Amino acid sequence: AYFDSVPPTLNNLTVLVSPPGSGNVKLNGTLLSSYPYNNTYLSSTLLNIIGIPNAGYNFVQWTLNNHTINPNDFSDTADFTITTSDTLIAYFDSVPPTLYNLTVIVNPPNSGNVNLNGTVLSSYPYNSTYVAGTNFNIIAIANGGFAFNSWQLLNAITPNNTSATASFTLNASDTLIAFFDSVPPPILHQLTIM
């Protein structure tokens, strides 16, 4: 009897990331370096896939036209057995930045001002929203008859809360209070010469 060998069945796989630049795919332990990625695999090969989001993105889901993903399309770590050519797409979604509120108060009112990152604030209380991790440089500016005393803030102040020029990183919503003390006017003495 004479037998011909049956050539192995090869299947093409194309891997895409959507939107471009939002993440990467690790395929059987290898981080893919560019997309579209194209390769051929023997039929019935188990392919392990991991969706890895870039900073600012979350993994959403996989899509394949001709295969079932295990455990499901929404698991960032999954697998499937390739039996025919197909296109695998990893979908990622942008993560909105975390925002925090910052309120700035001068106490007592009209005793001074706060320079926040190069801008002297014009009214108090000042309220605004910033992206988490925003760095601030602050300078206390005393009005006539007042002297800077200290800052009050839940976030850490560098170098310390009694330095009129300082900085901090906004890691939670917070209220910055600049405390000023009144300075008594100088005592004038009258000197009479006889």
Side-chain angles (χ1 to χ4, degrees), residues 13 21 32 49 79 83 98 104 111 114 120 149 151 162 183 190:
L13 179 68
L32 306 183
I49 53 177
D79 64 59
T83 57
T98 301
V104 180
S111 58
V114 174
V120 177
N149 177 299
W151 301 104
T162 58
V183 177
Q190 185 174 14

Side-chain angles (χ1 to χ4, degrees), residues 16-23 35 54 57 90 92:
L16 301 170
V17 169
S18 181
S22 59
Y35 305 93
N54 286 339
Y57 290 88
F92 298 90

Side-chain angles (χ1 to χ4, degrees), residues 19-183:
S22 59
N24 286 291
V25 174
K26 191 178 271 190
L27 179 62
N28 282 352
T30 301
L31 186 64
L32 306 183
S33 60
S34 64
Y35 305 93
Y37 171 84
N38 294 292
N39 205 350
T40 55
Y41 297 91
L42 288 173
S43 193
S44 298
T45 299
L46 178 67
L47 298 177
N48 295 296
I49 53 177
I50 301 174
I52 303 169
N54 286 339
Y57 290 88
N58 283 326
F59 175 80
V60 176
Q61 78 178 81
W62 302 103
T63 60
L64 277 169
N65 294 324
N66 304 312
H67 296 89
T68 300
I69 296 175
N70 300 306
N72 59 59
D73 295 351
F74 304 101
S75 177
D76 63 344
T77 301
D79 64 59
F80 68 97
T81 300
I82 192 164
T83 57
T84 187
S85 294
D86 211 339
T87 298
L88 173 70
I89 304 175
Y91 289 93
F92 298 90
D93 196 10
S94 63
V95 177
T98 301
L99 300 176
Y100 291 124
N101 296 319
L102 177 65
T103 300
V104 180
I105 297 172
V106 170
N107 191 359
N110 302 316
S111 58
N113 286 292
V114 174
N115 179 314
L116 185 68
N117 281 349
T119 300
V120 177
L121 304 179
S122 59
S123 64
Y124 304 92
Y126 166 84
N127 294 291
S128 194
T129 303
Y130 297 94
V131 173
T134 298
N135 295 311
F136 290 97
N137 295 309
I138 52 176
I139 302 171
I141 306 165
N143 286 342
F146 291 91
F148 175 73
N149 177 299
S150 63
W151 301 104
Q152 179 180 315
L153 186 72
L154 296 177
N155 288 274
I157 295 178
T158 303
N160 57 56
N161 72 328
T162 58
S163 176
T165 300
S167 64
F168 68 94
T169 300
L170 192 63
N171 293 315
S173 290
D174 210 341
T175 299
L176 173 68
I177 304 174
F179 290 99
F180 295 89
D181 293 330
S182 63
V183 177

